[in-house]
Amino acid sequence: MLQKLHQLKDKALQALKMVSDSEELESWRIEHLGRKSELNQILHDVGRLPPEERPAVGRLTNEVKLALETAYEGKAEALKRQELERALREERIDVTLPGRPVSLGRLHLTTQTLREIYAIFGQMGFQVYESPDVETDELNFGLLNMPPHHPARDMWDTFWISDEVLLRTHTSPGQIRVMRERCPEPIRVILPGKCYRYEQVTARSEHQFYQVEGLAVGHAITMTDLIGTLTEFARRFYGPERRIRIRGSYFPFTEPSIEADMDCILCDGEGCRVCRYSGWLEICGAGMVHPVVLENGGYDPDEWNGFAFGFGVERPAMVKYSIDDIRLFYGNDLRFLRQF
Ligand code: PHE
Protein backbone atom coordinates (compact mmCIF):
# COMPACT_ATOMS: atom_id res chain seq x y z
CA MET A 1 0.00 0.00 0.00
CA LEU A 2 2.79 2.34 0.90
CA GLN A 3 4.47 1.66 -2.39
CA LYS A 4 1.24 2.29 -4.22
CA LEU A 5 1.00 5.66 -2.54
CA HIS A 6 4.53 6.54 -3.63
CA GLN A 7 3.72 5.56 -7.19
CA LEU A 8 0.52 7.49 -7.12
CA LYS A 9 2.38 10.59 -5.99
CA ASP A 10 5.08 10.25 -8.67
CA LYS A 11 2.47 9.71 -11.37
CA ALA A 12 0.48 12.74 -10.30
CA LEU A 13 3.52 15.03 -10.12
CA GLN A 14 4.63 13.77 -13.50
CA ALA A 15 1.21 14.56 -14.97
CA LEU A 16 1.28 18.01 -13.40
CA LYS A 17 4.43 18.86 -15.32
CA MET A 18 2.50 18.38 -18.59
CA VAL A 19 -0.27 20.76 -17.56
CA SER A 20 -0.06 23.95 -19.63
CA ASP A 21 -3.22 25.96 -18.96
CA SER A 22 -5.85 26.52 -16.30
CA GLU A 23 -8.36 24.16 -17.88
CA GLU A 24 -5.92 21.26 -17.82
CA LEU A 25 -4.99 22.19 -14.30
CA GLU A 26 -8.60 21.87 -13.22
CA SER A 27 -8.89 18.40 -14.79
CA TRP A 28 -5.70 17.41 -13.04
CA ARG A 29 -7.09 18.59 -9.71
CA ILE A 30 -10.30 16.61 -10.14
CA GLU A 31 -8.40 13.49 -11.14
CA HIS A 32 -5.74 13.56 -8.44
CA LEU A 33 -7.22 15.49 -5.57
CA GLY A 34 -10.96 15.35 -6.25
CA ARG A 35 -13.61 13.49 -4.33
CA LYS A 36 -13.39 10.47 -6.63
CA SER A 37 -9.58 10.43 -6.86
CA GLU A 38 -7.61 7.33 -5.96
CA LEU A 39 -5.99 9.21 -3.13
CA ASN A 40 -9.32 10.09 -1.62
CA GLN A 41 -10.41 6.52 -1.98
CA ILE A 42 -7.36 5.33 -0.03
CA LEU A 43 -7.93 7.94 2.64
CA HIS A 44 -11.47 6.66 2.96
CA ASP A 45 -10.41 3.06 3.27
CA VAL A 46 -7.66 3.56 5.87
CA GLY A 47 -10.18 2.58 8.53
CA ARG A 48 -10.64 -0.84 7.05
CA LEU A 49 -6.96 -1.75 7.17
CA PRO A 50 -5.56 -4.01 9.85
CA PRO A 51 -4.87 -1.79 12.87
CA GLU A 52 -1.05 -2.22 12.72
CA GLU A 53 -0.93 -0.81 9.16
CA ARG A 54 -3.22 2.11 9.74
CA PRO A 55 -0.84 4.72 11.27
CA ALA A 56 1.84 4.42 8.57
CA VAL A 57 -0.63 4.41 5.66
CA GLY A 58 -2.65 7.25 7.17
CA ARG A 59 0.43 9.37 7.71
CA LEU A 60 1.80 8.77 4.22
CA THR A 61 -1.58 9.39 2.57
CA ASN A 62 -1.78 12.75 4.29
CA GLU A 63 1.79 13.56 3.30
CA VAL A 64 1.04 12.71 -0.33
CA LYS A 65 -2.11 14.77 -0.25
CA LEU A 66 -0.25 17.76 1.16
CA ALA A 67 2.53 17.35 -1.41
CA LEU A 68 0.03 17.25 -4.29
CA GLU A 69 -1.87 20.25 -2.95
CA THR A 70 1.32 22.26 -2.59
CA ALA A 71 2.40 21.30 -6.12
CA TYR A 72 -1.05 22.23 -7.39
CA GLU A 73 -0.89 25.68 -5.86
CA GLY A 74 2.62 26.25 -7.18
CA LYS A 75 1.47 25.32 -10.67
CA ALA A 76 -1.58 27.58 -10.43
CA GLU A 77 0.66 30.50 -9.46
CA ALA A 78 3.03 29.79 -12.32
CA LEU A 79 0.17 29.64 -14.84
CA LYS A 80 -1.24 32.90 -13.59
CA ARG A 81 2.13 34.59 -13.96
CA GLN A 82 2.52 33.16 -17.46
CA GLU A 83 -0.92 34.43 -18.43
CA LEU A 84 -0.12 37.88 -17.11
CA GLU A 85 3.14 37.99 -19.01
CA ARG A 86 1.39 36.91 -22.18
CA ALA A 87 -1.26 39.57 -21.74
CA LEU A 88 1.39 42.19 -21.11
CA ARG A 89 3.22 41.10 -24.22
CA GLU A 90 0.28 40.73 -26.55
CA GLU A 91 -2.27 43.24 -25.29
CA ARG A 92 0.08 46.13 -24.89
CA ILE A 93 -1.54 49.55 -25.38
CA ASP A 94 0.01 51.43 -28.23
CA VAL A 95 0.45 54.86 -26.70
CA THR A 96 1.83 56.23 -29.95
CA LEU A 97 -1.65 56.10 -31.59
CA PRO A 98 -2.98 59.61 -32.13
CA GLY A 99 -5.95 60.34 -29.83
CA ARG A 100 -9.48 61.04 -31.03
CA PRO A 101 -9.90 64.77 -31.46
CA VAL A 102 -12.11 66.37 -28.79
CA SER A 103 -14.44 68.86 -30.41
CA LEU A 104 -14.35 72.14 -28.55
CA GLY A 105 -17.49 74.22 -28.22
CA ARG A 106 -17.56 77.98 -28.22
CA LEU A 107 -19.68 80.79 -26.87
CA HIS A 108 -22.59 81.85 -29.04
CA LEU A 109 -22.22 85.29 -30.56
CA THR A 110 -25.15 86.49 -28.44
CA THR A 111 -23.45 85.26 -25.26
CA GLN A 112 -20.21 86.95 -26.25
CA THR A 113 -22.07 90.19 -26.96
CA LEU A 114 -24.00 89.99 -23.68
CA ARG A 115 -20.78 89.47 -21.74
CA GLU A 116 -19.22 92.46 -23.43
CA ILE A 117 -22.28 94.53 -22.47
CA TYR A 118 -22.13 93.28 -18.84
CA ALA A 119 -18.48 94.26 -18.63
CA ILE A 120 -19.10 97.79 -19.89
CA PHE A 121 -22.05 98.44 -17.59
CA GLY A 122 -20.28 96.64 -14.75
CA GLN A 123 -17.52 99.24 -14.93
CA MET A 124 -20.19 101.93 -14.68
CA GLY A 125 -21.54 100.36 -11.49
CA PHE A 126 -24.52 98.41 -12.87
CA GLN A 127 -25.31 94.98 -11.46
CA VAL A 128 -26.89 92.23 -13.57
CA TYR A 129 -30.40 91.29 -12.45
CA GLU A 130 -32.23 88.38 -14.09
CA SER A 131 -35.99 88.08 -14.27
CA PRO A 132 -38.26 85.39 -15.75
CA ASP A 133 -39.17 84.87 -19.40
CA VAL A 134 -42.73 83.86 -18.52
CA GLU A 135 -44.52 86.84 -17.07
CA THR A 136 -47.94 87.97 -15.97
CA ASP A 137 -50.01 90.46 -17.89
CA GLU A 138 -49.80 92.67 -14.81
CA LEU A 139 -45.99 92.86 -14.76
CA ASN A 140 -45.45 93.01 -18.52
CA PHE A 141 -48.10 95.69 -19.01
CA GLY A 142 -50.32 96.70 -16.06
CA LEU A 143 -47.71 97.83 -13.56
CA LEU A 144 -45.80 99.52 -16.37
CA ASN A 145 -48.64 102.00 -16.66
CA MET A 146 -50.61 100.10 -19.30
CA PRO A 147 -53.90 98.98 -17.75
CA PRO A 148 -56.05 96.49 -19.72
CA HIS A 149 -57.23 97.93 -23.05
CA HIS A 150 -54.57 100.64 -23.04
CA PRO A 151 -53.83 101.26 -26.72
CA ALA A 152 -50.06 101.31 -26.14
CA ARG A 153 -50.21 97.54 -25.59
CA ASP A 154 -50.44 97.28 -29.36
CA MET A 155 -46.79 98.31 -29.56
CA TRP A 156 -45.97 94.72 -28.51
CA ASP A 157 -47.48 91.75 -30.35
CA THR A 158 -47.76 89.18 -27.65
CA PHE A 159 -47.54 85.40 -27.27
CA TRP A 160 -50.27 84.66 -24.74
CA ILE A 161 -50.14 81.53 -22.61
CA SER A 162 -53.45 82.22 -20.87
CA ASP A 163 -55.55 85.33 -20.18
CA GLU A 164 -53.13 86.31 -17.44
CA VAL A 165 -49.83 84.76 -18.48
CA LEU A 166 -47.59 85.59 -21.43
CA LEU A 167 -44.04 85.42 -22.75
CA ARG A 168 -42.48 88.77 -21.90
CA THR A 169 -42.42 91.12 -24.87
CA HIS A 170 -39.64 93.21 -23.34
CA THR A 171 -37.34 93.17 -20.33
CA SER A 172 -39.17 96.10 -18.71
CA PRO A 173 -41.24 93.97 -16.26
CA GLY A 174 -37.90 93.29 -14.56
CA GLN A 175 -37.94 96.97 -13.51
CA ILE A 176 -40.92 96.31 -11.24
CA ARG A 177 -39.39 93.11 -9.87
CA VAL A 178 -36.06 94.67 -8.99
CA MET A 179 -37.69 97.78 -7.47
CA ARG A 180 -39.95 95.69 -5.25
CA GLU A 181 -37.00 93.63 -4.12
CA ARG A 182 -34.58 96.50 -3.48
CA CYS A 183 -36.94 99.21 -2.17
CA PRO A 184 -35.98 101.52 -0.41
CA GLU A 185 -32.38 101.21 -1.64
CA PRO A 186 -31.07 103.12 -4.67
CA ILE A 187 -30.79 100.91 -7.78
CA ARG A 188 -28.35 100.62 -10.66
CA VAL A 189 -28.94 97.43 -12.63
CA ILE A 190 -29.11 96.01 -16.11
CA LEU A 191 -31.71 93.36 -16.87
CA PRO A 192 -30.71 91.07 -19.72
CA GLY A 193 -32.93 88.38 -21.17
CA LYS A 194 -34.85 86.84 -24.00
CA CYS A 195 -38.01 88.51 -25.24
CA TYR A 196 -40.76 87.14 -27.44
CA ARG A 197 -42.99 88.82 -29.98
CA TYR A 198 -45.71 87.41 -32.15
CA GLU A 199 -44.23 88.86 -35.29
CA GLN A 200 -43.35 87.76 -38.74
CA VAL A 201 -39.79 86.51 -38.99
CA THR A 202 -37.73 88.44 -41.52
CA ALA A 203 -34.08 89.29 -42.10
CA ARG A 204 -34.52 92.16 -39.65
CA SER A 205 -36.75 90.70 -36.95
CA GLU A 206 -37.04 87.42 -35.10
CA HIS A 207 -39.86 86.33 -32.81
CA GLN A 208 -37.28 85.60 -30.10
CA PHE A 209 -34.42 87.96 -29.35
CA TYR A 210 -32.45 89.38 -26.46
CA GLN A 211 -32.81 92.74 -24.82
CA VAL A 212 -30.83 94.51 -22.13
CA GLU A 213 -32.80 96.86 -19.92
CA GLY A 214 -31.10 99.46 -17.75
CA LEU A 215 -32.57 100.99 -14.61
CA ALA A 216 -31.24 103.60 -12.22
CA VAL A 217 -33.32 104.77 -9.28
CA GLY A 218 -32.05 107.41 -6.88
CA HIS A 219 -32.35 111.07 -5.96
CA ALA A 220 -32.09 113.94 -8.43
CA ILE A 221 -31.12 111.74 -11.38
CA THR A 222 -31.31 113.71 -14.61
CA MET A 223 -31.86 113.14 -18.31
CA THR A 224 -28.22 114.17 -18.71
CA ASP A 225 -27.19 111.17 -16.60
CA LEU A 226 -29.17 108.96 -18.96
CA ILE A 227 -27.69 110.47 -22.11
CA GLY A 228 -24.18 110.31 -20.61
CA THR A 229 -24.65 106.64 -19.76
CA LEU A 230 -25.86 105.81 -23.28
CA THR A 231 -23.06 107.79 -24.91
CA GLU A 232 -20.46 106.10 -22.73
CA PHE A 233 -21.87 102.71 -23.61
CA ALA A 234 -21.89 103.44 -27.37
CA ARG A 235 -18.29 104.62 -27.27
CA ARG A 236 -17.06 101.63 -25.31
CA PHE A 237 -18.98 99.18 -27.43
CA TYR A 238 -18.47 100.64 -30.91
CA GLY A 239 -15.46 102.95 -30.59
CA PRO A 240 -14.51 106.28 -28.97
CA GLU A 241 -15.48 108.45 -31.94
CA ARG A 242 -19.22 107.59 -31.83
CA ARG A 243 -21.86 110.31 -31.46
CA ILE A 244 -25.38 110.04 -30.05
CA ARG A 245 -28.53 111.81 -31.15
CA ILE A 246 -31.68 112.06 -29.04
CA ARG A 247 -35.25 112.18 -30.33
CA GLY A 248 -38.46 112.61 -28.38
CA SER A 249 -40.56 109.44 -28.23
CA TYR A 250 -43.30 107.74 -26.29
CA PHE A 251 -43.36 104.82 -23.87
CA PRO A 252 -46.08 104.48 -21.24
CA PHE A 253 -43.51 103.68 -18.52
CA THR A 254 -41.17 106.65 -19.03
CA GLU A 255 -41.86 110.39 -18.97
CA PRO A 256 -40.36 112.07 -20.84
CA SER A 257 -39.45 109.32 -23.29
CA ILE A 258 -36.67 109.41 -25.83
CA GLU A 259 -35.06 107.30 -28.49
CA ALA A 260 -31.32 107.38 -28.98
CA ASP A 261 -29.58 107.06 -32.35
CA MET A 262 -25.88 106.64 -33.00
CA ASP A 263 -24.02 107.82 -36.10
CA CYS A 264 -23.71 104.88 -38.47
CA ILE A 265 -20.47 103.00 -37.88
CA LEU A 266 -20.35 101.70 -41.44
CA CYS A 267 -20.49 105.02 -43.29
CA ASP A 268 -19.56 107.37 -40.42
CA GLY A 269 -22.83 109.21 -40.89
CA GLU A 270 -22.46 109.66 -44.65
CA GLY A 271 -25.47 107.47 -45.45
CA CYS A 272 -25.46 103.84 -46.59
CA ARG A 273 -27.73 100.82 -47.05
CA VAL A 274 -27.47 99.75 -43.40
CA CYS A 275 -28.58 103.13 -42.01
CA ARG A 276 -31.04 103.52 -44.88
CA TYR A 277 -29.17 106.58 -46.09
CA SER A 278 -30.01 108.51 -42.91
CA GLY A 279 -26.51 108.38 -41.39
CA TRP A 280 -28.03 107.24 -38.06
CA LEU A 281 -28.75 103.91 -36.41
CA GLU A 282 -31.45 103.59 -33.80
CA ILE A 283 -29.92 102.14 -30.64
CA CYS A 284 -32.50 102.24 -27.87
CA GLY A 285 -35.68 103.45 -26.26
CA ALA A 286 -35.29 105.22 -22.96
CA GLY A 287 -36.60 107.89 -20.63
CA MET A 288 -37.12 109.01 -17.06
CA VAL A 289 -38.99 106.38 -15.06
CA HIS A 290 -42.69 107.31 -14.93
CA PRO A 291 -43.93 108.30 -11.44
CA VAL A 292 -46.65 105.63 -11.62
CA VAL A 293 -44.00 102.98 -12.28
CA LEU A 294 -41.86 104.20 -9.37
CA GLU A 295 -44.89 103.99 -7.15
CA ASN A 296 -45.74 100.48 -8.37
CA GLY A 297 -42.17 99.53 -7.48
CA GLY A 298 -42.64 100.90 -3.95
CA TYR A 299 -40.78 104.21 -4.33
CA ASP A 300 -42.31 107.59 -3.46
CA PRO A 301 -42.04 109.62 -6.70
CA ASP A 302 -41.83 112.85 -4.71
CA GLU A 303 -38.53 111.69 -3.28
CA TRP A 304 -37.15 109.30 -5.85
CA ASN A 305 -36.62 109.37 -9.58
CA GLY A 306 -34.60 107.52 -12.17
CA PHE A 307 -33.96 106.61 -15.76
CA ALA A 308 -34.53 103.46 -17.79
CA PHE A 309 -33.47 102.27 -21.21
CA GLY A 310 -33.87 99.14 -23.28
CA PHE A 311 -32.05 97.87 -26.35
CA GLY A 312 -31.77 94.74 -28.42
CA VAL A 313 -28.65 92.58 -28.37
CA GLU A 314 -28.62 90.98 -31.83
CA ARG A 315 -28.95 94.24 -33.77
CA PRO A 316 -25.84 95.86 -32.26
CA ALA A 317 -23.93 92.63 -32.93
CA MET A 318 -25.22 92.68 -36.52
CA VAL A 319 -23.96 96.21 -37.02
CA LYS A 320 -20.63 95.46 -35.38
CA TYR A 321 -19.94 92.28 -37.35
CA SER A 322 -21.74 93.21 -40.60
CA ILE A 323 -24.35 90.45 -40.31
CA ASP A 324 -27.24 91.10 -42.66
CA ASP A 325 -29.78 88.53 -41.50
CA ILE A 326 -30.95 88.15 -37.87
CA ARG A 327 -32.20 84.60 -38.59
CA LEU A 328 -28.59 83.42 -38.69
CA PHE A 329 -28.32 83.86 -34.92
CA TYR A 330 -30.59 80.98 -33.98
CA GLY A 331 -30.51 78.98 -37.22
CA ASN A 332 -27.85 76.69 -35.71
CA ASP A 333 -25.69 76.73 -38.80
CA LEU A 334 -22.17 76.01 -37.55
CA ARG A 335 -20.64 77.63 -40.60
CA PHE A 336 -22.05 80.89 -39.29
CA LEU A 337 -21.53 80.32 -35.56
CA ARG A 338 -17.90 79.22 -35.91
CA GLN A 339 -16.90 82.58 -37.29
CA PHE A 340 -17.15 84.23 -33.88
N1 PHE B 1 -39.28 98.21 -23.33
C1 PHE B 1 -39.10 99.05 -24.46
C2 PHE B 1 -39.24 98.18 -25.71
O1 PHE B 1 -39.15 97.00 -25.66
C3 PHE B 1 -37.79 99.75 -24.45
C4 PHE B 1 -37.65 100.70 -23.31
C5 PHE B 1 -37.10 100.29 -22.13
C6 PHE B 1 -38.07 102.02 -23.43
C7 PHE B 1 -36.96 101.16 -21.06
C8 PHE B 1 -37.96 102.90 -22.37
C9 PHE B 1 -37.38 102.46 -21.20
O2 PHE B 1 -39.42 98.70 -26.79
Side-chain angles (χ1 to χ4, degrees):
M1 180 57 92
L2 295 178
Q3 201 188 349
K4 189 176 171 199
L5 273 165
H6 280 298
Q7 276 170 7
L8 194 142
K9 177 181 160 194
D10 290 345
K11 208 177 85 193
L13 291 177
Q14 200 60 37
L16 190 61
K17 278 192 194 146
M18 312 302 283
V19 164
S20 65
D21 62 32
S22 53
E23 231 170 89
E24 286 173 24
L25 183 65
E26 182 59 6
S27 315
W28 181 91
R29 190 191 62 78
I30 292 167
E31 186 182 339
H32 299 280
L33 286 168
R35 211 154 34 82
K36 292 181 183 158
S37 63
E38 223 173 318
L39 189 66
N40 211 32
Q41 202 54 51
I42 296 171
L43 208 54
H44 232 243
D45 296 343
V46 170
R48 290 200 211 128
L49 290 173
E52 64 277 15
E53 278 181 36
R54 269 184 230 164
V57 174
R59 199 180 320 115
L60 185 63
T61 315
N62 278 323
E63 271 173 30
V64 170
K65 188 168 184 229
L66 194 68
L68 293 190
E69 278 170 357
T70 312
Y72 168 81
E73 264 149 38
K75 186 77 183 183
E77 268 303 308
L79 283 179
K80 218 190 282 171
R81 211 171 28 245
Q82 253 177 39
E83 171 60 20
L84 206 67
E85 275 163 12
R86 187 202 57 79
L88 275 176
R89 207 169 42 244
E90 289 172 16
E91 296 168 20
R92 209 166 16 151
I93 297 168
D94 183 356
V95 292
T96 65
L97 258 178
R100 296 201 185 94
V102 178
S103 70
L104 264 193
R106 60 182 61 230
L107 295 178
H108 192 281
L109 176 57
T110 302
T111 308
Q112 292 181 35
T113 309
L114 277 168
R115 290 190 180 181
E116 203 179 328
I117 294 168
Y118 300 162
I120 294 170
F121 281 107
Q123 286 167 354
M124 292 196 260
F126 287 79
Q127 297 175 313
V128 173
Y129 187 95
E130 308 231 14
S131 73
D133 290 28
V134 180
E135 270 297 5
T136 58
D137 174 85
E138 201 188 12
L139 275 145
N140 195 82
F141 292 122
L143 295 168
L144 291 173
N145 204 20
M146 282 176 275
H149 310 297
H150 192 291
R153 286 179 172 225
D154 287 352
M155 288 162 73
W156 296 275
D157 296 307
T158 308
F159 283 113
W160 294 92
I161 289 172
S162 69
D163 286 349
E164 301 294 327
V165 181
L166 47 79
L167 296 178
R168 66 173 165 200
T169 58
H170 51 179
T171 42
S172 303
Q175 289 189 29
I176 301 289
R177 289 181 179 272
V178 69
M179 281 194 269
R180 289 186 168 178
E181 192 184 296
R182 298 282 168 87
C183 186
E185 300 289 322
I187 296 173
R188 209 187 294 172
V189 293
I190 52 170
L191 306 127
K194 210 170 205 182
C195 301
Y196 307 80
R197 290 191 195 167
Y198 185 50
E199 274 177 21
Q200 193 180 1
V201 176
T202 67
R204 280 183 58 79
S205 61
E206 261 286 6
H207 60 287
Q208 298 183 39
F209 56 93
Y210 278 83
Q211 275 193 344
V212 173
E213 188 95 0
L215 175 69
V217 175
H219 301 289
I221 292 177
T222 64
M223 181 69 95
T224 318
D225 295 323
L226 167 59
I227 296 170
T229 304
L230 295 178
T231 307
E232 183 65 12
F233 171 72
R235 292 186 176 159
R236 295 239 196 135
F237 189 77
Y238 292 103
E241 65 283 4
R242 299 278 59 101
R243 286 181 304 138
I244 292 285
R245 171 177 91 167
I246 301 301
R247 287 178 286 122
S249 185
Y250 170 75
F251 298 100
F253 33 89
T254 45
E255 184 58 38
S257 301
I258 59 167
E259 264 170 73
D261 300 334
M262 179 184 76
D263 57 336
C264 178
I265 64 166
L266 297 173
C267 62
D268 267 328
E270 291 292 310
C272 68
R273 210 168 54 90
V274 171
C275 60
R276 295 187 175 144
Y277 303 99
S278 70
W280 295 94
L281 296 167
E282 193 185 303
I283 59 169
C284 72
M288 303 308 287
V289 182
H290 197 288
V292 167
V293 174
L294 282 170
E295 218 167 286
N296 288 339
Y299 290 83
D300 177 356
D302 289 334
E303 272 185 48
W304 297 85
N305 76 341
F307 65 69
F309 57 84
F311 57 84
V313 174
E314 291 85 356
R315 293 244 177 100
M318 288 170 76
V319 171
K320 197 164 172 173
Y321 299 103
S322 300
I323 298 162
D324 60 6
D325 193 327
I326 197 170
R327 291 170 291 197
L328 289 166
F329 278 77
Y330 308 114
N332 281 338
D333 186 335
L334 289 177
R335 290 169 303 178
F336 170 75
L337 296 172
R338 283 201 177 116
Q339 294 175 55
F340 306 100

